[in-house]
Amino acid sequence: VWLCFLFQGTSDFCVSPDKYVMSQTKGIITADIVHYYLYCNQTLSNPFQQPLTIFQRSLTTMQIQIQGLLQFAVPLFPTAERDLLGIQNLLNSSEASLHQLTALLDCRGLNKVGSPQPNWNHSITK
């Protein structure tokens, strides 16, 4: 029985891989995310773009606030400089991690993994 199930799943995948992946991920991953990674074209927006943009804006706001505190508060509270510089370093490393995460979540990077598609026009000999 298990073997039949395996072959059925394999044949479904071979006949219609997109439909098979959509059915296997239903209820686990939202359809817009699966669709984005399956088709990866310019008309589809990255479903993670909004939270990534919000995170980037928040980081920028916090960096500006820390810079202001370093400029105006440290002369009044010199002992705060070390902590503020530590926060600034943490924000800078968070921004670098955000850029890496953004690149990893882009469908174009995922679709570059693996071998290139063969060019069948050049492999056919007459």
Side-chain angles (χ1 to χ4, degrees):
V1 173
W2 181 82
L3 192 55
C4 290
F5 178 74
L6 175 67
F7 288 135
Q8 177 65 38
T10 305
S11 70
D12 290 349
F13 178 78
C14 292
V15 170
S16 182
D18 297 352
K19 187 176 177 182
Y20 177 77
V21 170
M22 291 295 282
S23 72
Q24 292 300 303
T25 57
K26 189 174 184 176
I28 301 169
I29 301 172
T30 62
D32 62 327
I33 293 173
V34 176
H35 196 262
Y36 172 73
Y37 287 106
L38 278 176
Y39 301 108
C40 191
N41 63 41
Q42 297 299 82
T43 61
L44 297 174
S45 62
N46 184 334
F48 301 106
Q49 191 57 53
Q50 184 179 8
L52 291 169
T53 300
I54 291 168
F55 186 29
Q56 176 64 56
R57 288 179 184 158
S58 299
L59 277 172
T60 301
T61 300
M62 288 184 279
Q63 288 168 328
I64 291 167
Q65 290 172 343
I66 294 298
Q67 192 59 42
L69 287 170
L70 284 166
Q71 186 176 355
F72 298 110
V74 168
L76 299 171
F77 305 100
T79 57
E81 183 175 24
R82 182 172 153 242
D83 291 332
L84 290 171
L85 290 173
I87 294 169
Q88 188 177 49
N89 286 335
L90 182 62
L91 291 172
N92 289 339
S93 95
S94 295
E95 186 171 29
S97 296
L98 173 62
H99 290 298
Q100 290 174 340
L101 179 60
T102 301
L104 288 170
L105 290 173
D106 189 330
C107 68
R108 293 171 294 182
L110 180 65
N111 284 308
K112 288 180 184 176
V113 175
S115 6
Q117 295 295 318
N119 186 343
W120 298 110
N121 293 331
H122 294 289
S123 61
I124 300 173
T125 56
K126 295 183 180 182

